[in-house]
Structure formats: structure tokens, C-alpha cells
Amino acid sequence: MPEENQIAGQETVKAWEPRILGILCNWCSYAGADLAGSARLSYPANVRIVRVPCSGRVDPSFVLRGFMRGFDGVLISGCHPGDCHYAKGNYYARRRLTVLKKYLVKMGIPEERFQFQWVSASEGGRWAESVSEMTERLRGLGPFQGVALQDKPAPHREAAAV
Amino acid sequence: MSVQAVLANQLAEVRREARRVLESGEVKTVLGYRAGPTAVRAMPALITRPEDTDLLVWSPACANNLGLYVRQAALEGKVAVVAKGCDARSIVMLIQEQQIPRESVYIIGVACPGVVDPDRLADAGIREEKLTGASWDGAEIVLESPEGEARPGRESIAKMACLTCDVHTPPLYDILIGEAPAIEPVDGLSPIPEGTEDRRAFWAKQFDRCVRCYACRQVCPSCYCTVCFADRASPRIVSKRIRGQENWMYHTVRAMHMAGRCVECGECERVCPVGIPLLQMMRELGAEVDELFAFKPGMDPEAEPVFGVFKNEDEGPEP
């Protein structure tokens, strides 16, 4: 949105862009994202990708840490059920992440900010689409408000500053 | 028969059974309760000599979940446990997760209508040091003092977990003492607001108050990791700084570790020095797990842990 970057009489200000933490399994989704690249498909550069061996490797704490660190959304992508390189890692992940999704809502993180999907190595287009969709959705939601109250300096630091 | 006499009979039965299993050599130790500083605070007791079984008590003061000590005690040999519904659920949870074999525990099940929370007693304006005893009349808690008996009402003095409890009789026992009256769980106690944004603000405020004493972790029978993620230097999942977002991280990861494993005994909430409604959080999560996978932890010793198995038809993203 280049026009929003201009404020009258001022230098260019960088507009807010959603940041997505992508956690992708090595065997399907990471290869799918790679395919999207080699096929020259264009999709928003808002996603930062972390590669994991399997969606079963995704500890809920990865997702929680993403939100703690201020990501606007977290996208987890793995092999379709039945296609897991390790046979059943994604089945375990499915149970865990389904509960995590419900839990995030309970903690006040809208479910639109967390996406969990299957993308195979041949679905470069599907990967590009899902990132575009999620980026648009997060633009609509606006920046994530964070999980904590504004951090105050610790008491001893305050004392030291005086 | 007076309510005190009914309780005294149950206590006599608990002591008799504890003495019997110790004397016969069937168990090495007995886990139970002994008198604490006031009539509404009992302490956990580990008893190894038959003559010490006379120290055991059983009353609405017995709040602790003894499931916490079972793993440790079972290392020394078979252990008998005086178990309320929640204690027994913790033991079943440990059996489900293969932390202890079924043969290593002898469960002296006690039907429990609900215990007293001394903090709530203080809130209700009752001085616990004046009390001389406590017993049950059906579901109601009866407090005794030199002035006579008082029934301030279960809803105002019982431990919060007991108000929402629906397992007053242990799901697994070798002998059952007493009989629990029919008690409807009380609804509408949750202080957690509806609405996603309100919830975010609510928890941000709650976790900001956390002092990270880890009492919730120490008291939890389900938290048995040798090294907790919160103490681990590598990988450092959460920093030790007592800041809002690190506290949030600690509590959310802890909750995810508890999902499908929490027996909702409410010990975490009872011991929390700043009063964070941890139990309510766990109840909501437990209800989700139950709805998704029809699994309630600590009920069936044969059941497999919910995240250790899967089904083809589990709920998940569209293919």
C-alpha cells in the first residue's frame, strides 16, 4: 500500500505490515513453499519461515512464543494426513494443535490469528494462496495487541536509574 | 447419629484399614492426613509404623491432593493412600501415564463431599483458630467451636474445586469408606469474562500479578517432570524474569502441558499466593479436550493418555 506510506510534509513512514510466523515441515510444506518460489509464484513477504522436521515437532510453546514475541499470526503447515514422512507425526500434531487453537481463543487470541493446514510438496500454489489469504486477514484484524500489560522496568532497575 | 459420630466412624475405619495393611506387611507406607495447626488445616502424613496410624485424621480439613507424593512413596515399596475423589483421579492419571504400576498402590477411598478452603473461611469472616472441629452433614460443612455448631454454607467456604467437582467418590479404590451424597456442581463461578478481547486483557492482568513462586507447579500431581521447562537453561522456553509476557508464557505452556491430564483438584489455585484463577483456566481446557476426544483424565486406569494416541477421524484442517 504505497500511498499510505506518505504522510504530508514528512518523510516516508513505514506502514504497519502484519508479520506471520510460519512453521513448516521439512518434507511437504517446506518443499511446497520452495516450489512456489521456483515456480515464480508471487505471494506476500510477510511470512518468516522456520523449518522443522515434522509438524509433530511443533511444540505448542513455539506458537505461544511467537505470540509472546509479538507476531500477528502463526501459520503451521505439514503433510496431509497419511503422507507424513514419519508415518504418524502429523496425526499427533493434529490433536495437539486442535486443542491449542481452542486454547488460544480462551486466552483471548482470536482464532483467525492461528492457522494450521496441510500443504504437500506439490502444492506450491496452495502455499502461496494461504499466505496471501492469511496476510489479508491479519491486515483486516490489525496489529496484535500483545499478551501482556506494558512491561514496567523491574524495581531494582528503577532504583538504579535514580 | 450425630454428624460428628458419622465422621468419627469413618475415621476409625480409615485408621483400622491403615493399621491392617501396615501390620500385614501388605504396604510399606501409608499416605494420609494428620492434624494441622487449626481444625480446618490438616497436613499430609507419611506413616510407616502401625502404631502411628492413630495420628491419621479425616475431616473437611483434608484439602491436599496426596497424589503428589505417590510416585515418590511407591519407589520404597507398596503404598496405601487415603484418597478422595481427586486424589484417586491423580493416582489413576499416574497409572495411565505409566508412572506407577497399579499394584504399587492400595487405595483407601474416602467419599468426599468437599473440603474447606481456610482463605475463603477468612473472607467469610470466620476465625479458623477459634474452631475446634469440622464435619459434614450431607453436602454441608459443619464447623464446631466452643459457641456451638455453624453451617456458613458450602458455597462460601468450600474449596473452589469442590464446588465444581463431579467426582465425589473415587473412580478407583481397593476399599471405599463413607458414601457421598448427590451433589450438583455449582455453575457460574468463573471470573473469566466472555469475549476474546476481554479475555486477553483479563489474563494479561492476572499473569502480571504472578510472582513465579512455582507453587502451582510444585503442588500439582501431574507436574512430575524431573526438570521442568521453566527451569531448563537449554532450550530456554521461558525466561526467569518476572515480567508480564514471560509469566504469560510460563502459564500458557504449563496449561498446554496439563491439557488432557489435569484432574481439576484445584490445588494450583488453592496454593497461589496472589489468587490467579488457574483452576478455571484448566476447567475450560479440560472441557475442550473432553468435547474433542471424549476423554476425561484420571477416570479409567486402562485408558491411554489423550495425546499419546490418535484416530483417523480426529478433527483437523480440511485436506
Side-chain angles (χ1 to χ4, degrees), chain B:
Chain B
M1 197 158 46
S2 74
V3 292
Q4 288 82 4
V6 172
L7 192 62
N9 274 349
Q10 291 181 8
L11 173 58
E13 239 182 294
V14 168
R15 286 178 178 170
R16 195 160 54 235
E17 189 62 14
R19 183 182 273 267
R20 185 187 69 77
V21 287
L22 274 177
E23 270 174 354
S24 68
E26 191 177 333
V27 303
K28 195 125 191 250
T29 48
V30 172
L31 268 170
Y33 301 93
R34 61 188 293 172
T38 70
V40 288
R41 285 180 204 261
M43 301 192 292
L46 189 73
I47 288 173
T48 51
R49 292 182 304 186
E51 59 270 30
D52 289 344
T53 51
D54 287 340
L55 292 172
L56 289 172
V57 299
W58 168 238
S59 76
C62 302
N64 300 57
N65 184 341
L66 298 177
L68 176 62
Y69 311 104
V70 171
R71 272 176 78 251
Q72 190 83 46
L75 295 176
E76 306 285 322
K78 188 162 179 171
V79 53
V81 191
V82 179
K84 309 184 292 293
C86 44
D87 308 48
R89 280 186 75 185
S90 283
I91 294 168
V92 173
M93 179 274 302
L94 292 170
I95 295 170
Q96 285 172 339
E97 300 186 355
Q98 301 184 17
Q99 292 301 310
I100 49 168
R102 171 67 184 95
E103 308 78 66
S104 70
V105 281
Y106 182 86
I107 303 175
I108 304 174
V110 280
C112 165
V115 298
V116 174
D117 182 342
D119 287 346
R120 297 193 72 214
L121 208 59
D123 291 344
I126 298 165
R127 299 196 41 200
E128 57 175 300
E129 58 275 20
K130 299 269 185 203
L131 301 174
T132 53
S135 51
W136 287 286
D137 181 5
E140 204 47 75
I141 295 167
V142 184
L143 301 174
E144 295 136 38
S145 65
E147 283 95 71
E149 286 181 12
R151 289 172 165 76
R154 184 171 188 271
E155 299 203 7
S156 54
I157 61 165
K159 183 170 150 183
M160 292 302 278
C162 303
L163 296 179
T164 49
C165 173
D166 56 357
V167 188
H168 294 281
T169 307
L172 180 72
Y173 53 80
D174 294 287
I175 179 176
L176 180 66
I177 295 167
E179 197 180 325
I183 305 169
E184 279 299 306
V186 184
D187 281 330
L189 294 172
S190 176
I192 307 172
E194 292 301 318
T196 317
E197 180 49 34
D198 289 348
R199 278 174 172 260
R200 193 192 62 78
F202 176 82
W203 286 117
K205 210 169 155 187
Q206 291 294 330
F207 294 148
D208 198 59
R209 295 162 49 232
C210 174
V211 294
R212 293 279 280 285
C213 63
Y214 300 125
C216 46
R217 174 189 77 186
Q218 297 306 110
V219 81
C220 180
S222 302
C223 273
Y224 54 68
C225 292
T226 323
V227 182
C228 174
F229 74 94
D231 294 334
R232 211 177 259 279
S234 172
R236 200 195 65 175
I237 291 170
V238 57
S239 141
K240 289 185 191 300
R241 295 199 311 174
I242 307 167
R243 296 290 179 80
Q245 61 175 12
E246 300 291 349
N247 294 354
W248 181 90
M249 189 69 191
Y250 164 69
H251 283 285
T252 48
V253 174
R254 193 187 80 85
M256 281 310 291
H257 287 183
M258 287 295 121
R261 306 178 55 241
C262 172
V263 301
E264 295 165 21
C265 66
E267 284 290 272
C268 45
E269 192 173 279
R270 183 177 68 89
V271 299
C272 180
V274 295
I276 299 172
L278 294 163
L279 171 66
Q280 293 304 325
M281 177 162 91
M282 293 320 303
R283 289 192 71 232
E284 291 189 347
L285 194 50
E288 292 290 354
V289 171
D290 197 11
E291 192 179 317
L292 283 165
F293 310 116
F295 180 84
K296 205 174 162 189
M299 297 305 284
D300 173 11
E302 303 292 322
E304 288 188 275
V306 68
F307 292 118
V309 290
F310 60 82
K311 283 185 182 145
N312 275 332
E313 63 273 18
D314 279 344
E315 193 177 307
E318 293 295 306

Side-chain angles (χ1 to χ4, degrees), chain A:
Chain A
M1 292 170 282
E3 64 276 21
E4 280 182 24
N5 291 352
Q6 294 293 330
I7 291 178
Q10 286 192 12
E11 288 178 42
T12 307
V13 179
K14 210 175 159 204
W16 171 76
E17 278 286 322
R19 282 195 313 154
I20 304 171
L21 171 65
I23 306 179
L24 277 58
C25 103
N26 179 44
W27 303 98
C28 296
S29 298
Y30 197 83
D34 196 32
L35 179 66
S38 46
R40 302 282 187 270
L41 296 176
S42 93
Y43 65 89
N46 299 50
V47 65
R48 314 288 192 274
I49 296 176
V50 176
R51 179 166 61 159
V52 289
C54 174
S55 50
R57 173 67 184 93
V58 180
D59 189 307
S61 66
F62 297 178
V63 177
L64 296 165
R65 196 173 179 84
F67 285 114
M68 182 191 110
R69 285 288 181 214
F71 275 96
D72 299 297
V74 179
L75 173 59
I76 295 178
S77 198
C79 304
H80 287 270
D83 289 349
C84 181
H85 184 75
Y86 307 100
K88 47 191 185 178
N90 54 358
Y91 287 105
Y92 291 118
R94 183 167 66 176
R95 281 211 158 184
R96 226 179 291 136
L97 296 175
T98 306
V99 171
L100 176 63
K101 187 167 184 156
K102 305 266 184 195
Y103 179 60
L104 289 175
V105 177
K106 299 272 176 213
M107 296 309 289
I109 298 175
E111 62 178 331
E112 294 85 353
R113 294 193 183 275
F114 177 67
Q115 187 169 327
F116 160 39
Q117 65 182 22
W118 315 123
V119 168
S120 81
S122 61
E123 293 175 323
R126 187 181 166 115
W127 166 253
E129 259 170 48
S130 62
V131 174
S132 312
E133 266 172 36
M134 188 159 182
T135 308
E136 281 317 305
R137 195 164 69 225
L138 293 176
R139 276 214 178 93
L141 282 175
F144 178 51
Q145 297 297 308
V147 297
L149 301 181
Q150 203 61 41
D151 268 355
K152 302 179 286 279
H156 66 279
R157 297 253 170 97
E158 258 173 341
V162 170

